[in-house]
Amino acid sequence: MARLAQTHGLTDVQSEILATVRTFVDKEIIPRAQRLEHDDEYPTEIVDGMREMGLFGLTIDEEYGGLGESLLTYALVVEELSRGWMSISGIVNTHFIVAYLVSQHGTPEQKARLLPRMAAGEVRGAFSMSEPGCGSDVAAIRTKAVPDGDGWVIDGQKMWLTNGGYSSVVATLVRSDLGADSVYANMTTFLLEKEPGFGETAPGLTIPGKIDKMGYKGVETTEMILDRHRVGPEAVLGGAPGRGFYQMMDGIEVGRVNVAARACGISLRAFELAVAYAQQRETFGSPLYKHQAIAFKLAEMATKIEAAHALMVNAARLKDSGQRNDVEAGMAKLLASEYCAEVTQESFRIHGGYGYSKEYEIERLMREAPFLLIGEGTSEIQKTIISRGLLRDYKL
């Protein structure tokens, strides 16, 4: 077993799940990832395999047909999947967040209606906060829900929906002016249900098409246009409007642990590629690893991987214990994403000119790693969250 990114204190069930996923990654994902990514092809067979393994129900309670596993198990599975291909982790990530939101905040009816089908992979989730005019500035959201009889009419435009096409339910944060003093108390999360696909997938709800991206291919990223999209009261997450911001922030803490896990997985794969190449390639009559400059790079890369993995595991365990983990999740996401960019670039440098060739896997990782610097909040946003939390705890 590899030495890096080991997690102590796991149960036998957790260890068995991770071993199964790792084997799946080595046999089914890594051999296909390069071709699928360059073709920007949806990995249907891989997704079917994950469905058969029960991964879409990993964190859903057993009473709804899931495996009932913890956030830590989820994060470690995401780390393994990202080691194979980050796009695969993207397919399950937003699904996990929506399942978490429904499990933690949904009404009994919402849980009974959605969770069994989500656990089976029949219904897949997407998560929507961003808009064309706002990213991390949630207060600037303009998409608006207006009461209409016993339901709501929603108008606006949302941006950067991972799984926007293949999903059947989109957890969507919008303004719902309720007369509260705070802008955040005037926001509501709706569970918008639609048909998978592109075009008008529900009356007044349109998914225009895929956004072409630098990396993170295979999985679709889309816009969502809402034009007098009418929903009933059962679409409000938890049944009561005005709680949306706080529900979404709870989900974002899960999402930040996920992004940290993705970064750890990519870093680990970049290191594996570098340490293998350094033993195969010779320069000046010696293998690369015998040159101190390269050996030191490998040492620094491995240390960064261990540090990021430890912070990610700590943030996940805090959340599982029911404690607040906003600072720890921010730290994990900040360090893991920044280190991922550094580790991937060092692996690229070790590969030399071959790293620039599309035949080598490191080329793909170089395009994937930058996404983690901005996904689920930029590094600057993480620093804001961390500093506010520290000043709250160390207030004079």
Side-chain angles (χ1 to χ4, degrees), residues 101-128:
L101 288 173
V102 174
S103 297
Q104 294 295 116
H105 303 287
T107 63
E109 185 277 332
Q110 288 169 340
K111 294 177 184 180
R113 179 165 52 85
L114 291 173
L115 291 180
R117 292 188 294 156
M118 294 186 76
E122 298 168 3
V123 166
R124 302 241 291 280
F127 177 85
S128 177

Side-chain angles (χ1 to χ4, degrees), residues 147-215:
D148 181 53
D150 65 344
W152 301 79
V153 172
I154 308 175
D155 288 282
Q157 184 178 4
K158 307 299 282 187
M159 195 74 175
W160 308 118
L161 280 73
T162 301
N163 291 329
Y166 283 88
S167 61
S168 299
V169 57
V170 184
T172 308
L173 184 65
V174 305
R175 299 180 73 94
S176 54
D177 293 336
L178 304 169
D181 293 336
S182 168
V183 64
Y184 301 110
N186 285 310
M187 291 186 173
T188 299
T189 297
F190 287 89
L191 300 173
L192 304 183
E193 298 185 53
K194 66 180 187 65
E195 291 297 319
F198 298 94
E200 189 171 17
T201 55
L205 190 158
T206 300
I207 305 294
K210 295 196 301 184
I211 298 170
D212 197 16
K213 299 165 295 190
M214 177 177 79

Side-chain angles (χ1 to χ4, degrees), residues 54-60 71 73-75 77-78 81 89-103 118 125-126 163 251 254 258:
L55 291 188
F56 286 100
L58 183 66
T59 59
I60 295 173
L71 174 59
T73 308
Y74 149 80
V77 165
V78 167
L81 293 174
S89 70
I91 290 171
V92 294
N93 172 43
T94 55
H95 179 84
F96 283 159
I97 293 177
V98 176
Y100 174 84
L101 288 173
V102 174
S103 297
M118 294 186 76
N163 291 329
V254 172
N258 167 278

